[in-house]
Amino acid sequence: MEVAIENRNLDALKELCKAEKKLAKDDEIVTAKVENLLKRRGFKVAEQPSATKEEMARRHFAFAMNCMRTGLCSKGIPYSTLQDLLETSSIDECKQLFSIIEENINEFKQPGMMDSVQNAILRSCNDLLRRLSRTAETSFCGRIMFFLSRFLPLTEKSGVNFMGHFNTANATVYDETDTESEALLTVATSSTPAAESEDIEVGEIEEDNAKEITVTPEMYRQFWSLQKFMSNPNSLYEKDKFAVFKRDLSAVLSLMTSNKLEKPSAEEEEAAERKERKKTSADDVFFAKYLTSPKLLPLQLNDSSFRRYFLMQSIVIFQYLTAECKFKPASKKMVLNEEQAKYISDCEEKCYRLLSDTMPRGNSFKDSLKRIMQREHEWNMWKNANCPDFAEKADKGAMQMYKKKTRTPFNPTNLDLGTPELTKLWNYEPDVLAACRADKRKFSPSLANFIRDPLDEMDPEQQVEEQYKSINDSAFQWRAARLLMAKSPGYISKQEKSAEPTTNIKEFLERTMYNSAKNIDEFKAGIEAREKKEEEARKKVEESLKRKLDTSKAKSSTSSPNPYADTLSDETLAQLAADLAGHAKQLAEVFSIGSAEETLKKTPAKTFCLKVLKEWAEKNGRSGKALLNTLISDIEVVEIAQKSLRKIQEST
């Protein structure tokens, strides 16, 4: 059997075991013999040189696994041989042998195998971690912890620190004597070049243009004394110790706030990102415990990584102090009072602010840390619930194999916009542009339907009061302006240079709608009849005024002055404007001045009338008779003008 195991001849080992079982008549004795020979062969493999040990170990482990599958040995023997190899090998050899365990993790997690090897794997990993240095062999420690996190089930109590124990033996040693710390801090903060060159030790880096932070011996002791609270947060529930923690932490945060790190330039940030991208997993990284020399603290506070370590420590402690933890002893009343809780909340916000101000990429680092702390909170709540198995909430049905969906070949004639509704909407009409231009999509009313009611309201025969007209509504005015601009040819008309701009939108829209109705067949007949009636009424008024004028002429004596024969002088126009000032609006309507209301708000009535009369007189030869004929459309205005002219004639 020993030769068959050494040559890894499984068939020969099977035949020998059958023969042994017939002679011994006890299967357990034969199995124990095979297991003993496998373990002895494992010790011989451990004696191999480092160059060939890993390969020999792989072959022996594979042979032991085949023996286990055929029932020649128990399920725990293959890993037991690996465990013996790890215990008798150096650290460098263990790094190579551990890859065998990592590669066979799926074999170890099989239902029948898991119960046999779980405790052995956990024990050997813990033994390795005890042998390793956390600072010099950080990478290998991480491999072991990562393997355990993948191998052990999530509900395994040994991997979650269920009782919440702290490593109180993690003490940070620093100089607590006043004389030594004061002397070192004095040297460290010296500004003379000679002192700087003398005090820089081997391995230290002299930073140019670094902002100097003054650290007193008291600040040095306050900063490093906080580490004892970090390693044992439960002590902070004592009132006296919390007061010390509050005093020291406030001093440190104030120092960091008053001495913010300078933001690097864009070129420096870009260079740092390029350097970060070039880093590979094979880069050697050394993780050291805090260096507590008084000479280093001013430089450490200028380092962004050092600040982040300290601020992250503080945030973790803050969350622990305020979290509800099942394992906190209820008898000790480990709860913060209202004042302490408010201080912790304020300090947490300050730490996050300092992290966002710590470059490079301060805001992204702060956001990442918040997500990590949220995950930590959820992890704590899961532990409070006694670590329930997530498998209980999973689907009870058997897992189905993933069926790959059949791919639909691309067809350019069939449009697919991603969802059935979008595709249906796009394929609603064959020509989408034509469908958008279809008549059924034109929601604006026709011009005839829109102006029908306003035209009726403008008709004097309808006797619609001014306050009830549609044109007074601002919304109607906006819609009318938009529609007339698009469909009425007279909306934009060429105006004379001397004409004043239109400021009364109401009158402008009424005039435009009325002129537009003249070109619509539906309204032509009604507008012609309306204009005919208005013309007849105007003629009647003119005839009536003429008869009154003729009657006044007959009554007057032959020596009476004739107001129509004289030319209108500037003095006459000024007197006439003064008499007509009370009827400025009617005068503006007679001369068809649209913006009279706005102008009268800014200009006195007499000045407005004088301006209007002068402009008319310049264009019409200053004829008094022509002026009265123009004013005849308004009886009240023409009578006032006639009396004023007669009065002026008599006085002269």
Side-chain angles (χ1 to χ4, degrees):
M1 283 187 181
E2 186 174 358
V3 176
I5 291 173
E6 184 175 354
N7 295 330
R8 295 184 296 280
N9 191 340
L10 184 61
D11 295 334
L13 184 61
K14 286 181 182 179
E15 294 299 329
L16 291 171
C17 287
K18 285 182 181 179
E20 288 284 342
K21 288 179 181 179
K22 288 180 181 179
L23 295 175
K25 296 182 181 181
D26 191 350
D27 295 347
E28 292 183 1
I29 295 175
V30 178
T31 302
K33 185 177 181 180
V34 173
E35 291 175 356
N36 185 31
L37 291 173
L38 286 172
K39 288 179 71 68
R40 286 169 60 185
R41 178 58 187 167
F43 284 114
K44 288 183 179 180
V45 172
E47 297 173 358
Q48 298 293 324
S50 299
T52 59
K53 181 180 284 189
E54 182 185 0
E55 183 62 27
M56 294 293 292
R58 285 180 184 277
R59 294 177 182 177
H60 181 65
F61 176 76
F63 180 72
M65 289 292 290
N66 290 330
C67 293
M68 181 269 295
R69 293 189 186 101
T70 56
L72 299 178
C73 64
S74 62
K75 294 180 180 179
I77 290 300
Y79 185 80
S80 179
T81 58
L82 279 180
Q83 187 177 7
D84 295 337
L85 285 170
L86 290 172
E87 291 176 353
T88 57
S89 302
S90 65
I91 295 297
D92 292 335
E93 291 173 346
C94 288
K95 290 181 182 178
Q96 299 174 353
L97 295 174
F98 195 75
S99 60
I100 302 174
I101 303 176
E102 292 174 323
E103 293 167 3
N104 291 276
I105 185 173
N106 292 328
E107 292 287 344
F108 297 144
K109 292 179 71 172
Q110 295 299 323
M113 190 83 169
M114 184 74 173
D115 296 335
S116 302
V117 301
Q118 179 176 344
N119 292 333
I121 290 177
L122 184 59
R123 190 181 304 111
S124 60
C125 288
N126 287 333
D127 291 340
L128 274 175
L129 289 172
R130 280 196 226 50
R131 292 170 60 190
L132 297 175
S133 169
R134 294 297 177 94
T135 56
E137 302 293 344
T138 307
S139 179
F140 191 26
C141 291
R143 281 177 60 191
I144 297 172
M145 299 301 295
F146 184 67
F147 169 80
L148 287 175
S149 67
R150 293 172 57 204
F151 172 71
L152 296 174
L154 193 61
T155 54
E156 173 63 30
K157 300 292 192 300
S158 62
V160 297
N161 188 17
F162 186 70
M163 298 304 297
H165 295 301
F166 292 97
N167 184 16
T168 55
N170 181 19
T172 303
V173 181
Y174 60 97
D175 298 326
E176 299 188 40
T177 58
D178 295 341
T179 56
E180 185 175 357
S181 60
E182 286 180 9
L184 289 172
L185 285 169
T186 304
V187 173
T189 56
S190 177
S191 60
T192 59
E196 290 180 359
S197 60
E198 290 174 2
D199 293 325
I200 290 179
E201 299 176 355
V202 178
E204 292 187 10
I205 300 174
E206 182 178 3
E207 296 185 2
D208 296 333
N209 300 324
K211 183 180 179 181
E212 183 179 351
I213 298 179
T214 304
V215 179
T216 62
E218 179 64 22
M219 176 57 66
Y220 169 79
R221 287 189 294 273
Q222 286 178 329
F223 183 87
W224 290 117
S225 65
L226 290 172
Q227 292 302 314
K228 63 183 178 184
F229 298 114
M230 303 294 186
S231 61
N232 187 16
N234 287 336
S235 62
L236 292 174
Y237 290 105
E238 299 177 18
K239 189 174 181 180
D240 297 338
K241 292 185 178 180
F242 186 88
V244 176
F245 173 78
K246 178 179 178 180
R247 181 197 63 199
D248 296 347
L249 182 64
S250 300
V252 173
L253 293 181
S254 299
L255 180 65
M256 289 185 176
T257 305
S258 59
N259 294 277
K260 292 184 178 180
L261 300 182
E262 295 182 1
K263 184 177 180 181
S265 61
E267 293 79 5
E268 292 175 348
E269 285 191 356
E270 186 176 354
E273 289 180 3
R274 283 199 302 268
K275 184 178 179 181
E276 193 72 23
R277 286 195 293 268
K278 289 180 181 178
K279 284 186 178 180
T280 61
S281 58
D283 292 340
D284 293 332
V285 181
F286 180 78
F287 294 89
K289 189 172 170 61
Y290 280 132
L291 301 176
T292 59
S293 172
K295 291 170 60 177
L296 295 176
L297 187 55
L299 300 175
Q300 288 169 327
L301 291 174
N302 263 326
D303 181 42
S304 59
S305 298
F306 183 84
R307 285 199 179 196
R308 282 175 174 173
Y309 296 153
F310 176 78
L311 293 172
M312 286 175 62
Q313 268 190 314
S314 303
I315 290 172
V316 170
I317 297 302
F318 295 157
Q319 178 159 309
Y320 171 77
L321 292 174
T322 56
E324 295 181 3
C325 298
K326 180 180 180 181
F327 47 79
K328 289 181 180 178
S331 59
K332 293 186 179 181
K333 297 181 179 180
M334 299 173 70
V335 180
L336 298 177
N337 57 37
E338 185 177 353
E339 181 183 355
Q340 292 172 339
K342 185 178 184 306
Y343 173 75
I344 292 297
S345 176
D346 295 341
C347 285
E348 186 176 13
E349 293 179 5
K350 187 180 291 186
C351 288
Y352 276 120
R353 253 194 329 269
L354 287 170
L355 280 174
S356 62
D357 294 338
T358 304
M359 298 300 168
R361 299 183 299 277
N363 286 324
S364 60
F365 185 88
K366 179 196 70 174
D367 296 338
S368 301
L369 180 60
K370 282 188 174 181
R371 288 194 291 271
I372 292 172
M373 298 310 296
Q374 177 61 29
R375 291 286 300 274
E376 182 67 20
H377 173 70
E378 294 171 0
W379 180 265
N380 182 58
M381 297 302 293
W382 175 71
K383 287 202 295 181
N384 288 342
N386 202 21
C387 303
D389 190 357
F390 292 108
E392 296 177 358
K393 299 181 180 179
D395 296 333
K396 301 301 180 182
M399 185 179 294
Q400 301 294 328
M401 291 296 294
Y402 174 73
K403 294 182 180 180
K404 193 174 182 180
K405 296 181 180 179
T406 56
R407 294 186 61 184
T408 305
F410 175 70
N411 186 0
T413 59
N414 294 335
L415 186 64
D416 185 8
L417 296 182
T419 61
E421 292 301 325
L422 281 177
T423 305
K424 178 183 176 182
L425 180 64
W426 192 261
N427 294 325
Y428 188 73
E429 291 287 343
D431 189 349
V432 179
L433 190 59
C436 293
R437 294 174 177 171
D439 292 338
K440 64 180 181 180
R441 291 187 59 83
K442 295 179 180 178
F443 303 108
S444 59
S446 63
L447 186 60
N449 292 334
F450 187 81
I451 66 176
R452 182 177 288 108
D453 291 341
L455 283 176
D456 291 339
E457 292 170 358
M458 285 187 281
D459 189 357
E461 293 184 356
Q462 300 296 330
Q463 296 182 357
V464 178
E465 297 181 12
E466 185 68 24
Q467 58 182 344
Y468 299 115
K469 289 184 179 181
S470 304
I471 198 65
N472 294 322
D473 185 9
S474 58
F476 178 84
Q477 292 176 4
W478 184 84
R479 293 195 298 271
R482 291 292 300 267
L483 188 64
L484 292 171
M485 182 173 60
K487 297 186 177 182
S488 175
Y491 184 83
I492 301 175
S493 58
K494 185 177 180 181
Q495 295 183 346
E496 298 180 1
K497 293 182 180 180
S498 60
E500 294 184 1
T502 302
T503 57
N504 192 333
I505 188 65
K506 173 183 169 183
E507 295 180 0
F508 171 75
L509 291 176
E510 283 184 337
R511 185 168 62 253
T512 306
M513 285 189 290
Y514 188 82
N515 293 333
S516 299
K518 293 180 180 179
N519 300 322
I520 300 175
D521 297 335
E522 181 182 349
F523 304 114
K524 276 184 180 179
I527 289 178
E528 289 177 357
R530 185 189 302 182
E531 289 182 346
K532 188 175 181 181
K533 291 180 181 178
E534 290 177 354
E535 181 66 22
E536 291 176 356
R538 190 175 63 80
K539 285 182 179 180
K540 290 180 180 179
V541 172
E542 290 180 355
E543 289 174 359
S544 174
L545 289 173
K546 286 181 180 180
R547 284 196 297 270
K548 286 185 178 181
L549 291 174
D550 293 340
T551 305
S552 62
K553 286 180 184 178
K555 289 181 180 180
S556 62
S557 61
T558 55
S559 59
S560 299
N562 185 3
Y564 314 120
D566 296 337
T567 301
L568 297 173
S569 62
D570 290 342
E571 293 79 5
T572 303
L573 291 174
Q575 183 62 38
L576 190 59
D579 294 339
L580 292 173
H583 303 275
K585 280 189 178 182
Q586 295 169 267
L587 184 65
E589 291 179 1
V590 171
F591 288 111
S592 301
I593 299 173
S595 59
E597 292 184 5
E598 297 294 331
T599 307
L600 285 171
K601 291 178 181 179
K602 303 176 183 178
T603 309
K606 180 179 178 181
T607 307
F608 173 77
C609 293
L610 180 60
K611 180 182 177 182
V612 171
L613 291 173
K614 279 189 177 181
E615 289 179 358
W616 182 91
E618 293 296 332
K619 294 179 181 179
N620 296 277
R622 293 180 174 265
S623 171
K625 185 176 181 181
L627 176 63
L628 292 175
N629 290 336
T630 304
L631 300 177
I632 201 171
S633 60
D634 192 302
I635 299 175
E636 189 176 2
V637 173
V638 74
E639 286 181 351
I640 293 172
Q642 182 182 2
K643 290 179 181 179
S644 179
L645 291 174
R646 185 178 292 110
K647 183 178 179 182
I648 294 170
Q649 185 69 19
E650 289 175 354
S651 63
T652 56

PDB file of all heavy atoms in Angstrom, residues 124-134 140-142 144-145 148:
ATOM      1  N   SER A 124      -6.962  25.946  10.838  1.00  0.00           N
ATOM      2  CA  SER A 124      -5.675  26.156  10.156  1.00  0.00           C
ATOM      3  C   SER A 124      -5.518  27.614   9.710  1.00  0.00           C
ATOM      4  O   SER A 124      -4.419  28.175   9.774  1.00  0.00           O
ATOM      5  CB  SER A 124      -5.561  25.218   8.957  1.00  0.00           C
ATOM      6  OG  SER A 124      -6.603  25.470   8.031  1.00  0.00           O
ATOM      7  N   CYS A 125      -6.607  28.240   9.281  1.00  0.00           N
ATOM      8  CA  CYS A 125      -6.526  29.657   8.885  1.00  0.00           C
ATOM      9  C   CYS A 125      -6.206  30.539  10.091  1.00  0.00           C
ATOM     10  O   CYS A 125      -5.409  31.481   9.991  1.00  0.00           O
ATOM     11  CB  CYS A 125      -7.828  30.091   8.225  1.00  0.00           C
ATOM     12  SG  CYS A 125      -8.090  29.405   6.572  1.00  0.00           S
ATOM     13  N   ASN A 126      -6.817  30.259  11.230  1.00  0.00           N
ATOM     14  CA  ASN A 126      -6.516  31.034  12.429  1.00  0.00           C
ATOM     15  C   ASN A 126      -5.064  30.831  12.885  1.00  0.00           C
ATOM     16  O   ASN A 126      -4.407  31.766  13.349  1.00  0.00           O
ATOM     17  CB  ASN A 126      -7.479  30.654  13.551  1.00  0.00           C
ATOM     18  CG  ASN A 126      -8.877  31.198  13.318  1.00  0.00           C
ATOM     19  OD1 ASN A 126      -9.036  32.213  12.648  1.00  0.00           O
ATOM     20  ND2 ASN A 126      -9.871  30.527  13.858  1.00  0.00           N
ATOM     21  N   ASP A 127      -4.570  29.590  12.741  1.00  0.00           N
ATOM     22  CA  ASP A 127      -3.167  29.332  13.087  1.00  0.00           C
ATOM     23  C   ASP A 127      -2.231  30.130  12.187  1.00  0.00           C
ATOM     24  O   ASP A 127      -1.218  30.683  12.653  1.00  0.00           O
ATOM     25  CB  ASP A 127      -2.867  27.838  12.969  1.00  0.00           C
ATOM     26  CG  ASP A 127      -3.572  27.026  14.051  1.00  0.00           C
ATOM     27  OD1 ASP A 127      -3.963  27.643  15.075  1.00  0.00           O
ATOM     28  OD2 ASP A 127      -3.751  25.811  13.866  1.00  0.00           O
ATOM     29  N   LEU A 128      -2.577  30.197  10.896  1.00  0.00           N
ATOM     30  CA  LEU A 128      -1.750  30.977   9.974  1.00  0.00           C
ATOM     31  C   LEU A 128      -1.772  32.450  10.334  1.00  0.00           C
ATOM     32  O   LEU A 128      -0.740  33.130  10.304  1.00  0.00           O
ATOM     33  CB  LEU A 128      -2.256  30.785   8.532  1.00  0.00           C
ATOM     34  CG  LEU A 128      -1.709  29.582   7.759  1.00  0.00           C
ATOM     35  CD1 LEU A 128      -2.393  29.470   6.413  1.00  0.00           C
ATOM     36  CD2 LEU A 128      -0.202  29.694   7.579  1.00  0.00           C
ATOM     37  N   LEU A 129      -2.954  32.978  10.657  1.00  0.00           N
ATOM     38  CA  LEU A 129      -3.066  34.400  11.002  1.00  0.00           C
ATOM     39  C   LEU A 129      -2.262  34.729  12.256  1.00  0.00           C
ATOM     40  O   LEU A 129      -1.708  35.825  12.388  1.00  0.00           O
ATOM     41  CB  LEU A 129      -4.537  34.778  11.204  1.00  0.00           C
ATOM     42  CG  LEU A 129      -5.391  34.819   9.929  1.00  0.00           C
ATOM     43  CD1 LEU A 129      -6.868  35.016  10.278  1.00  0.00           C
ATOM     44  CD2 LEU A 129      -4.928  35.938   9.010  1.00  0.00           C
ATOM     45  N   ARG A 130      -2.182  33.770  13.194  1.00  0.00           N
ATOM     46  CA  ARG A 130      -1.389  34.012  14.400  1.00  0.00           C
ATOM     47  C   ARG A 130       0.104  34.064  14.067  1.00  0.00           C
ATOM     48  O   ARG A 130       0.865  34.798  14.712  1.00  0.00           O
ATOM     49  CB  ARG A 130      -1.640  32.916  15.429  1.00  0.00           C
ATOM     50  CG  ARG A 130      -2.931  33.113  16.230  1.00  0.00           C
ATOM     51  CD  ARG A 130      -2.929  32.254  17.472  1.00  0.00           C
ATOM     52  NE  ARG A 130      -4.067  31.499  17.812  1.00  0.00           N
ATOM     53  CZ  ARG A 130      -4.822  30.661  17.128  1.00  0.00           C
ATOM     54  NH1 ARG A 130      -4.566  30.460  15.955  1.00  0.00           N
ATOM     55  NH2 ARG A 130      -5.810  30.005  17.594  1.00  0.00           N
ATOM     56  N   ARG A 131       0.507  33.292  13.098  1.00  0.00           N
ATOM     57  CA  ARG A 131       1.927  33.262  12.729  1.00  0.00           C
ATOM     58  C   ARG A 131       2.350  34.497  11.932  1.00  0.00           C
ATOM     59  O   ARG A 131       3.515  34.874  11.938  1.00  0.00           O
ATOM     60  CB  ARG A 131       2.221  32.012  11.885  1.00  0.00           C
ATOM     61  CG  ARG A 131       2.119  30.710  12.643  1.00  0.00           C
ATOM     62  CD  ARG A 131       2.185  29.526  11.705  1.00  0.00           C
ATOM     63  NE  ARG A 131       3.440  29.511  10.949  1.00  0.00           N
ATOM     64  CZ  ARG A 131       3.687  28.697   9.917  1.00  0.00           C
ATOM     65  NH1 ARG A 131       2.762  27.828   9.536  1.00  0.00           N
ATOM     66  NH2 ARG A 131       4.847  28.757   9.284  1.00  0.00           N
ATOM     67  N   LEU A 132       1.397  35.131  11.245  1.00  0.00           N
ATOM     68  CA  LEU A 132       1.729  36.219  10.330  1.00  0.00           C
ATOM     69  C   LEU A 132       1.792  37.561  11.052  1.00  0.00           C
ATOM     70  O   LEU A 132       1.111  37.781  12.054  1.00  0.00           O
ATOM     71  CB  LEU A 132       0.684  36.309   9.208  1.00  0.00           C
ATOM     72  CG  LEU A 132       0.586  35.098   8.284  1.00  0.00           C
ATOM     73  CD1 LEU A 132      -0.562  35.274   7.299  1.00  0.00           C
ATOM     74  CD2 LEU A 132       1.888  34.875   7.526  1.00  0.00           C
ATOM     75  N   SER A 133       2.592  38.457  10.516  1.00  0.00           N
ATOM     76  CA  SER A 133       2.655  39.835  11.008  1.00  0.00           C
ATOM     77  C   SER A 133       1.629  40.665  10.250  1.00  0.00           C
ATOM     78  O   SER A 133       1.592  40.649   9.017  1.00  0.00           O
ATOM     79  CB  SER A 133       4.065  40.405  10.783  1.00  0.00           C
ATOM     80  OG  SER A 133       4.076  41.791  11.010  1.00  0.00           O
ATOM     81  N   ARG A 134       0.798  41.398  10.988  1.00  0.00           N
ATOM     82  CA  ARG A 134      -0.267  42.179  10.351  1.00  0.00           C
ATOM     83  C   ARG A 134       0.286  43.335   9.520  1.00  0.00           C
ATOM     84  O   ARG A 134      -0.418  43.852   8.653  1.00  0.00           O
ATOM     85  CB  ARG A 134      -1.222  42.718  11.418  1.00  0.00           C
ATOM     86  CG  ARG A 134      -1.999  41.637  12.135  1.00  0.00           C
ATOM     87  CD  ARG A 134      -2.916  40.873  11.185  1.00  0.00           C
ATOM     88  NE  ARG A 134      -3.610  39.795  11.844  1.00  0.00           N
ATOM     89  CZ  ARG A 134      -4.823  39.900  12.371  1.00  0.00           C
ATOM     90  NH1 ARG A 134      -5.437  41.060  12.345  1.00  0.00           N
ATOM     91  NH2 ARG A 134      -5.400  38.865  12.942  1.00  0.00           N
ATOM     92  N   PHE A 140      -1.017  38.670   2.547  1.00  0.00           N
ATOM     93  CA  PHE A 140      -1.365  37.267   2.807  1.00  0.00           C
ATOM     94  C   PHE A 140      -2.501  37.172   3.831  1.00  0.00           C
ATOM     95  O   PHE A 140      -3.392  36.319   3.709  1.00  0.00           O
ATOM     96  CB  PHE A 140      -0.131  36.517   3.286  1.00  0.00           C
ATOM     97  CG  PHE A 140      -0.303  35.024   3.344  1.00  0.00           C
ATOM     98  CD1 PHE A 140      -1.227  34.383   2.523  1.00  0.00           C
ATOM     99  CD2 PHE A 140       0.441  34.251   4.226  1.00  0.00           C
ATOM    100  CE1 PHE A 140      -1.393  33.004   2.576  1.00  0.00           C
ATOM    101  CE2 PHE A 140       0.278  32.875   4.289  1.00  0.00           C
ATOM    102  CZ  PHE A 140      -0.644  32.249   3.464  1.00  0.00           C
ATOM    103  N   CYS A 141      -2.471  38.042   4.837  1.00  0.00           N
ATOM    104  CA  CYS A 141      -3.588  38.072   5.799  1.00  0.00           C
ATOM    105  C   CYS A 141      -4.906  38.370   5.085  1.00  0.00           C
ATOM    106  O   CYS A 141      -5.944  37.763   5.385  1.00  0.00           O
ATOM    107  CB  CYS A 141      -3.324  39.118   6.873  1.00  0.00           C
ATOM    108  SG  CYS A 141      -1.976  38.710   8.002  1.00  0.00           S
ATOM    109  N   GLY A 142      -4.850  39.311   4.149  1.00  0.00           N
ATOM    110  CA  GLY A 142      -6.059  39.639   3.398  1.00  0.00           C
ATOM    111  C   GLY A 142      -6.545  38.468   2.566  1.00  0.00           C
ATOM    112  O   GLY A 142      -7.757  38.240   2.444  1.00  0.00           O
ATOM    113  N   ILE A 144      -6.215  35.305   3.297  1.00  0.00           N
ATOM    114  CA  ILE A 144      -6.848  34.335   4.204  1.00  0.00           C
ATOM    115  C   ILE A 144      -8.236  34.812   4.622  1.00  0.00           C
ATOM    116  O   ILE A 144      -9.210  34.039   4.612  1.00  0.00           O
ATOM    117  CB  ILE A 144      -5.944  34.112   5.431  1.00  0.00           C
ATOM    118  CG1 ILE A 144      -4.613  33.499   4.998  1.00  0.00           C
ATOM    119  CG2 ILE A 144      -6.634  33.220   6.451  1.00  0.00           C
ATOM    120  CD1 ILE A 144      -3.583  33.419   6.106  1.00  0.00           C
ATOM    121  N   MET A 145      -8.351  36.101   4.979  1.00  0.00           N
ATOM    122  CA  MET A 145      -9.659  36.629   5.401  1.00  0.00           C
ATOM    123  C   MET A 145     -10.662  36.597   4.252  1.00  0.00           C
ATOM    124  O   MET A 145     -11.849  36.293   4.451  1.00  0.00           O
ATOM    125  CB  MET A 145      -9.493  38.050   5.930  1.00  0.00           C
ATOM    126  CG  MET A 145      -8.581  38.176   7.142  1.00  0.00           C
ATOM    127  SD  MET A 145      -9.145  37.190   8.545  1.00  0.00           S
ATOM    128  CE  MET A 145     -10.681  38.000   8.942  1.00  0.00           C
ATOM    129  N   LEU A 148     -11.866  33.021   3.837  1.00  0.00           N
ATOM    130  CA  LEU A 148     -12.841  32.649   4.867  1.00  0.00           C
ATOM    131  C   LEU A 148     -14.207  33.282   4.593  1.00  0.00           C
ATOM    132  O   LEU A 148     -15.246  32.665   4.839  1.00  0.00           O
ATOM    133  CB  LEU A 148     -12.325  33.068   6.242  1.00  0.00           C
ATOM    134  CG  LEU A 148     -11.174  32.237   6.818  1.00  0.00           C
ATOM    135  CD1 LEU A 148     -10.686  32.853   8.120  1.00  0.00           C
ATOM    136  CD2 LEU A 148     -11.604  30.791   7.036  1.00  0.00           C
TER     137      LEU A 148
END
